[in-house]
Short mmCIF file of all heavy atoms in Angstrom, two decimals:
data_model
loop_
_atom_site.label_atom_id
_atom_site.label_comp_id
_atom_site.label_asym_id
_atom_site.label_seq_id
_atom_site.Cartn_x
_atom_site.Cartn_y
_atom_site.Cartn_z
N HIS A 1 -0.70 -12.44 5.63
CA HIS A 1 -1.23 -12.75 4.29
C HIS A 1 -2.46 -13.64 4.40
O HIS A 1 -2.48 -14.61 5.16
CB HIS A 1 -0.14 -13.45 3.47
CG HIS A 1 -0.62 -14.00 2.18
ND1 HIS A 1 -0.88 -13.21 1.09
CD2 HIS A 1 -0.91 -15.28 1.79
CE1 HIS A 1 -1.29 -13.97 0.09
NE2 HIS A 1 -1.31 -15.22 0.48
N ILE A 2 -3.50 -13.28 3.64
CA ILE A 2 -4.75 -14.05 3.61
C ILE A 2 -5.12 -14.33 2.16
O ILE A 2 -5.01 -13.45 1.31
CB ILE A 2 -5.90 -13.27 4.28
CG1 ILE A 2 -5.60 -13.02 5.76
CG2 ILE A 2 -7.22 -14.03 4.15
CD1 ILE A 2 -6.61 -12.11 6.44
N GLU A 3 -5.55 -15.56 1.90
CA GLU A 3 -6.07 -15.90 0.56
C GLU A 3 -7.58 -16.02 0.64
O GLU A 3 -8.11 -16.68 1.52
CB GLU A 3 -5.47 -17.22 0.07
CG GLU A 3 -4.05 -17.11 -0.43
CD GLU A 3 -3.59 -18.37 -1.14
OE1 GLU A 3 -4.43 -19.29 -1.33
OE2 GLU A 3 -2.41 -18.46 -1.51
N ILE A 4 -8.26 -15.37 -0.30
CA ILE A 4 -9.72 -15.51 -0.42
C ILE A 4 -10.01 -16.15 -1.76
O ILE A 4 -9.74 -15.56 -2.82
CB ILE A 4 -10.43 -14.14 -0.31
CG1 ILE A 4 -10.22 -13.54 1.08
CG2 ILE A 4 -11.92 -14.29 -0.61
CD1 ILE A 4 -10.91 -12.19 1.28
N GLN A 5 -10.55 -17.37 -1.71
CA GLN A 5 -10.86 -18.08 -2.96
C GLN A 5 -12.24 -17.65 -3.46
O GLN A 5 -13.20 -17.53 -2.70
CB GLN A 5 -10.83 -19.59 -2.71
CG GLN A 5 -9.43 -20.10 -2.37
CD GLN A 5 -9.36 -21.62 -2.41
OE1 GLN A 5 -10.29 -22.29 -2.84
NE2 GLN A 5 -8.24 -22.16 -1.97
N LEU A 6 -12.31 -17.39 -4.76
CA LEU A 6 -13.52 -16.86 -5.37
C LEU A 6 -14.39 -17.97 -5.92
O LEU A 6 -13.91 -18.96 -6.44
CB LEU A 6 -13.15 -15.89 -6.50
CG LEU A 6 -12.20 -14.74 -6.13
CD1 LEU A 6 -12.01 -13.82 -7.31
CD2 LEU A 6 -12.72 -13.97 -4.92
N GLN A 7 -15.69 -17.75 -5.78
CA GLN A 7 -16.68 -18.68 -6.30
C GLN A 7 -17.95 -17.88 -6.55
O GLN A 7 -18.25 -16.94 -5.81
CB GLN A 7 -16.94 -19.80 -5.28
CG GLN A 7 -17.71 -20.98 -5.85
CD GLN A 7 -17.89 -22.09 -4.82
OE1 GLN A 7 -18.23 -21.80 -3.68
NE2 GLN A 7 -17.66 -23.34 -5.22
N PRO A 8 -18.71 -18.21 -7.60
CA PRO A 8 -19.94 -17.46 -7.88
C PRO A 8 -20.84 -17.39 -6.65
O PRO A 8 -21.08 -18.40 -5.97
CB PRO A 8 -20.59 -18.29 -9.00
CG PRO A 8 -19.45 -18.92 -9.71
CD PRO A 8 -18.46 -19.24 -8.63
N GLY A 9 -21.30 -16.20 -6.34
CA GLY A 9 -22.21 -16.03 -5.21
C GLY A 9 -21.53 -15.58 -3.92
O GLY A 9 -22.20 -15.14 -3.00
N ARG A 10 -20.21 -15.67 -3.87
CA ARG A 10 -19.51 -15.23 -2.66
C ARG A 10 -19.47 -13.70 -2.59
O ARG A 10 -19.17 -13.03 -3.57
CB ARG A 10 -18.08 -15.78 -2.60
CG ARG A 10 -17.96 -17.28 -2.53
CD ARG A 10 -16.57 -17.68 -2.04
NE ARG A 10 -16.55 -17.81 -0.59
CZ ARG A 10 -15.43 -18.00 0.13
NH1 ARG A 10 -14.27 -18.01 -0.47
NH2 ARG A 10 -15.49 -18.11 1.43
N ASP A 11 -19.73 -13.18 -1.41
CA ASP A 11 -19.65 -11.74 -1.18
C ASP A 11 -18.20 -11.41 -0.83
O ASP A 11 -17.82 -11.36 0.33
CB ASP A 11 -20.59 -11.34 -0.04
CG ASP A 11 -20.54 -9.86 0.28
OD1 ASP A 11 -19.91 -9.11 -0.50
OD2 ASP A 11 -21.11 -9.45 1.30
N VAL A 12 -17.39 -11.14 -1.87
CA VAL A 12 -15.96 -10.94 -1.66
C VAL A 12 -15.70 -9.69 -0.82
O VAL A 12 -14.86 -9.69 0.08
CB VAL A 12 -15.22 -10.84 -3.01
CG1 VAL A 12 -13.73 -10.67 -2.78
CG2 VAL A 12 -15.49 -12.08 -3.84
N ALA A 13 -16.43 -8.61 -1.11
CA ALA A 13 -16.26 -7.38 -0.35
C ALA A 13 -16.58 -7.62 1.12
O ALA A 13 -15.89 -7.13 2.03
CB ALA A 13 -17.13 -6.27 -0.92
N GLY A 14 -17.63 -8.39 1.38
CA GLY A 14 -17.99 -8.71 2.75
C GLY A 14 -16.92 -9.54 3.45
O GLY A 14 -16.67 -9.36 4.65
N LEU A 15 -16.28 -10.45 2.70
CA LEU A 15 -15.21 -11.25 3.27
C LEU A 15 -13.99 -10.40 3.61
O LEU A 15 -13.32 -10.62 4.60
CB LEU A 15 -14.83 -12.37 2.29
CG LEU A 15 -15.88 -13.44 2.05
CD1 LEU A 15 -15.44 -14.41 0.95
CD2 LEU A 15 -16.16 -14.22 3.34
N VAL A 16 -13.72 -9.40 2.76
CA VAL A 16 -12.61 -8.48 3.04
C VAL A 16 -12.90 -7.69 4.31
O VAL A 16 -12.04 -7.50 5.17
CB VAL A 16 -12.37 -7.53 1.84
CG1 VAL A 16 -11.37 -6.43 2.22
CG2 VAL A 16 -11.88 -8.31 0.63
N GLU A 17 -14.14 -7.22 4.45
CA GLU A 17 -14.54 -6.50 5.67
C GLU A 17 -14.39 -7.39 6.90
O GLU A 17 -13.89 -6.95 7.94
CB GLU A 17 -15.98 -6.03 5.55
CG GLU A 17 -16.19 -4.90 4.56
CD GLU A 17 -17.65 -4.48 4.44
OE1 GLU A 17 -18.51 -5.38 4.52
OE2 GLU A 17 -17.92 -3.30 4.27
N ALA A 18 -14.80 -8.65 6.76
CA ALA A 18 -14.69 -9.59 7.88
C ALA A 18 -13.24 -9.82 8.26
O ALA A 18 -12.88 -9.91 9.44
CB ALA A 18 -15.37 -10.91 7.53
N ALA A 19 -12.37 -9.93 7.25
CA ALA A 19 -10.94 -10.15 7.50
C ALA A 19 -10.35 -8.98 8.25
O ALA A 19 -9.55 -9.16 9.18
CB ALA A 19 -10.20 -10.38 6.18
N CYS A 20 -10.73 -7.76 7.87
CA CYS A 20 -10.20 -6.56 8.54
C CYS A 20 -10.70 -6.47 9.98
O CYS A 20 -9.94 -6.15 10.89
CB CYS A 20 -10.61 -5.32 7.76
SG CYS A 20 -9.80 -5.16 6.16
N THR A 21 -11.98 -6.75 10.18
CA THR A 21 -12.54 -6.72 11.54
C THR A 21 -11.89 -7.78 12.42
O THR A 21 -11.55 -7.52 13.58
CB THR A 21 -14.06 -6.94 11.49
OG1 THR A 21 -14.65 -5.95 10.64
CG2 THR A 21 -14.67 -6.82 12.88
N ASN A 22 -11.70 -8.98 11.86
CA ASN A 22 -11.10 -10.06 12.63
C ASN A 22 -9.64 -9.74 12.99
O ASN A 22 -9.18 -10.03 14.09
CB ASN A 22 -11.16 -11.36 11.82
CG ASN A 22 -11.04 -12.58 12.69
OD1 ASN A 22 -11.66 -12.66 13.76
ND2 ASN A 22 -10.26 -13.55 12.27
N TRP A 23 -8.92 -9.10 12.05
CA TRP A 23 -7.54 -8.70 12.32
C TRP A 23 -7.49 -7.68 13.44
O TRP A 23 -6.65 -7.76 14.33
CB TRP A 23 -6.91 -8.11 11.06
CG TRP A 23 -5.51 -7.59 11.27
CD1 TRP A 23 -4.35 -8.29 11.17
CD2 TRP A 23 -5.15 -6.26 11.66
NE1 TRP A 23 -3.27 -7.49 11.47
CE2 TRP A 23 -3.73 -6.24 11.78
CE3 TRP A 23 -5.86 -5.11 11.93
CZ2 TRP A 23 -3.05 -5.08 12.14
CZ3 TRP A 23 -5.17 -3.96 12.29
CH2 TRP A 23 -3.78 -3.96 12.39
N TYR A 24 -8.42 -6.72 13.41
CA TYR A 24 -8.45 -5.68 14.44
C TYR A 24 -8.72 -6.31 15.82
O TYR A 24 -8.05 -5.97 16.80
CB TYR A 24 -9.54 -4.65 14.12
CG TYR A 24 -9.68 -3.59 15.19
CD1 TYR A 24 -8.79 -2.53 15.26
CD2 TYR A 24 -10.69 -3.68 16.15
CE1 TYR A 24 -8.90 -1.57 16.25
CE2 TYR A 24 -10.81 -2.72 17.13
CZ TYR A 24 -9.91 -1.67 17.18
OH TYR A 24 -10.03 -0.72 18.17
N LEU A 25 -9.67 -7.22 15.89
CA LEU A 25 -9.96 -7.88 17.16
C LEU A 25 -8.77 -8.70 17.65
O LEU A 25 -8.48 -8.76 18.86
CB LEU A 25 -11.20 -8.80 17.01
CG LEU A 25 -12.54 -8.08 16.82
CD1 LEU A 25 -13.63 -9.09 16.52
CD2 LEU A 25 -12.89 -7.24 18.04
N PHE A 26 -8.08 -9.34 16.71
CA PHE A 26 -6.90 -10.11 17.07
C PHE A 26 -5.83 -9.21 17.68
O PHE A 26 -5.12 -9.60 18.61
CB PHE A 26 -6.35 -10.83 15.82
CG PHE A 26 -5.24 -11.79 16.12
CD1 PHE A 26 -5.50 -13.03 16.67
CD2 PHE A 26 -3.92 -11.45 15.85
CE1 PHE A 26 -4.46 -13.93 16.95
CE2 PHE A 26 -2.88 -12.31 16.13
CZ PHE A 26 -3.15 -13.56 16.69
N GLN A 27 -5.68 -7.99 17.13
CA GLN A 27 -4.72 -7.04 17.68
C GLN A 27 -5.10 -6.60 19.08
O GLN A 27 -4.24 -6.23 19.89
CB GLN A 27 -4.62 -5.80 16.76
CG GLN A 27 -4.12 -6.10 15.37
CD GLN A 27 -2.76 -6.78 15.37
OE1 GLN A 27 -1.81 -6.27 15.94
NE2 GLN A 27 -2.68 -7.93 14.72
N GLN A 28 -6.40 -6.66 19.37
CA GLN A 28 -6.87 -6.30 20.71
C GLN A 28 -6.78 -7.47 21.69
O GLN A 28 -7.15 -7.32 22.87
CB GLN A 28 -8.31 -5.80 20.64
CG GLN A 28 -8.52 -4.62 19.69
CD GLN A 28 -7.66 -3.44 20.05
OE1 GLN A 28 -7.65 -3.01 21.19
NE2 GLN A 28 -6.94 -2.91 19.07
N GLY A 29 -6.32 -8.62 21.21
CA GLY A 29 -6.14 -9.78 22.09
C GLY A 29 -7.26 -10.80 22.04
O GLY A 29 -7.26 -11.76 22.82
N TYR A 30 -8.21 -10.62 21.09
CA TYR A 30 -9.33 -11.56 21.01
C TYR A 30 -9.12 -12.53 19.85
O TYR A 30 -8.75 -12.12 18.75
CB TYR A 30 -10.64 -10.81 20.81
CG TYR A 30 -11.82 -11.75 20.56
CD1 TYR A 30 -12.41 -12.45 21.61
CD2 TYR A 30 -12.31 -11.92 19.27
CE1 TYR A 30 -13.48 -13.31 21.37
CE2 TYR A 30 -13.37 -12.78 19.02
CZ TYR A 30 -13.95 -13.48 20.08
OH TYR A 30 -14.99 -14.34 19.84
#
């Protein structure tokens, strides 16, 4: 579970993409 706090100007879609990429790398051991 991940919480993304919203604020004007934040690229929420970009943060979701970053979370998915980071999760994938974590699964690969990084």
Side-chain angles (χ1 to χ4, degrees):
H1 171 75
I2 298 173
E3 283 190 6
I4 295 181
Q5 294 191 9
L6 306 184
Q7 193 178 45
R10 296 198 91 188
D11 178 9
V12 182
L15 292 174
V16 171
E17 289 178 324
C20 291
T21 303
N22 202 43
W23 177 88
Y24 176 80
L25 290 174
F26 187 78
Q27 298 303 305
Q28 303 302 309
Y30 174 77

